[in-house]
Amino acid sequence: MTEPLLSIDDLTVRYPRRRGEPVTALDGVSLTVGHGRTVGLVGESGSGKSTLGKAILGLVPVGGGSITFDGRDITRAGRRERRELSSQIQVVFQDPYGSLNPVKPIGRTLGEPLRVQRILDARARRDRVVEALERVGLPAAVLDRYPAEFSGGQRQRIAIARALVMRPRLIVCDEPVSALDLSLQAQILNLFNELRADLGVAYLFISHDLGVVRYLADDLVVLYHGSVVESGATQPVYERPRADYTKRLIAAIPQTTPQEKAPSCKSES
Ligand SMILES: Nc1ncnc2c1ncn2[C@@H]1O[C@H](COP(=O)(O)OP(=O)(O)OP(=O)(O)O)[C@@H](O)[C@H]1O
Ligand SMILES: [Mg+2]
């Protein structure tokens, strides 16, 4: 059997508090993401989803357990190793406006990591950025414009393009469609699916809404108060949930799902 792309074993993360005991955000969590696979990480607010994403990105200190990426232990990767890893692991957040610098033109923001790492010369950098923009359905003209000039859906496309610029093998998607209305959600979810098919990228796809991840994820991992209460292939978990908590999440799915609302339209205004 080939090794998974990402393997998380018995991971524990605690946030210190000024007074009293630290908050245990993750308590012995294990999961794997195979090459080119999508794992949906679901759970209610405060269950530890973002903390898990942050641990993978090296943004929170790990209290116990390990994170292995492509056979390499990255649990406590230092700054230099992290920089190197940033070409392989990227992230898309919920709020693209907060994550795109409002005073920089898009082209500059997207070219920045390539420039910092001195991977390509200016011309090749521009080509790489344009290629990423085209992959998310945006024209090269976007390069000289600013985040405020775009709609929420377009900004999320730009944030996805920024993740693609480095040609990562894993993208941590933390509630990437939660701020969008239903028809835009459907478009962006379709885009994620197309990108995976074209590029073979793997996703850890975080959402509080099981209805969203069910269309995307090969496997589901259900978090409750920092622990995994259920995991497995999406279809069986969705159709025959074992944990009461999973049953409740399924019951909480809104009646109109994004896919039903807008099957496969690709453009937006
Ligand atoms: N920086 C922090 N300092 C202290 N506690 C934190 C911090 N970040 C998160 N927590 C706590 O850790 C737990 C898990 O939070 P986390 O943000 O990972 O949950 P989540 O599942 O992403 O929730 P949401 O759906 O609201 O985004 C919560 O109890 C939260 O209050
Ligand atoms: Mg979160």
Side-chain angles (χ1 to χ4, degrees), residues 53 57 59 89-93 159-160 162-163 168 170-174:
L57 297 160
L59 301 175
I89 307 176
Q90 281 286 317
V91 61
V92 176
F93 292 110
I160 295 166
R162 179 177 55 181
L170 174 70
I171 303 181
V172 174
C173 306
D174 192 348

Side-chain angles (χ1 to χ4, degrees), residues 18 23 25 82 87 123 128 140 185 197 208 222 264:
R18 230 178 290 164
V23 184
R82 276 287 158 199
S87 64
R123 176 75 185 267
R128 180 81 82 89
Q185 285 193 11
H208 64 279
V222 183
S264 65

